[in-house]
Amino acid sequence: MKEAQSYMSLLMLLPIVPTILLMVSPVKNQLWMFTVPFLAQNQMLLKVVRGETIEPMQWTAYLLAGLGLAAVLWFAATRRYHQERLAISA
């Protein structure tokens, strides 16, 4: 039981690992990085902390990727909720 709890606490820290790695070993920003949601947030945050400006193309890529992902998830959810099996299962 204690082993499972220790694994769970380590799993909770797992999402922090990429951020720490990027802080320790910074990479040069490329436009494709701003299409990956968590990576884009990290890169934009680092730019703000360093006092650098965020280019309009980077903002555009970030916003279009986020809106595109939201649209895909919205479409998938509406398709799922329109299925008859979902209504009958309740």
Side-chain angles (χ1 to χ4, degrees):
M1 183 75 166
K2 281 196 163 211
E3 289 179 20
Q5 289 176 347
S6 65
Y7 288 131
M8 290 301 289
S9 61
L10 288 176
L11 285 177
M12 288 174 41
L13 296 176
L14 192 61
I16 300 172
V17 172
T19 303
I20 292 173
L21 290 176
L22 286 171
M23 291 175 124
V24 173
S25 173
V27 294
K28 185 176 181 188
N29 288 336
Q30 296 178 1
L31 189 59
W32 70 266
M33 293 179 176
F34 291 92
T35 61
V36 181
F38 292 116
L39 181 59
Q41 290 174 0
N42 185 41
Q43 296 300 344
M44 292 177 93
L45 181 63
L46 288 175
K47 279 183 162 273
V48 169
V49 168
R50 292 180 188 145
E52 300 172 3
T53 59
I54 301 171
E55 299 174 16
M57 193 63 170
Q58 293 169 340
W59 273 111
T60 304
Y62 176 64
L63 291 173
L64 287 177
L67 290 173
L69 179 62
V72 167
L73 292 174
W74 174 78
F75 179 74
T78 56
R79 296 284 298 168
R80 176 72 176 123
Y81 288 133
H82 280 48
Q83 291 180 356
E84 189 175 336
R85 282 184 302 176
L86 187 64
I88 294 173
S89 67

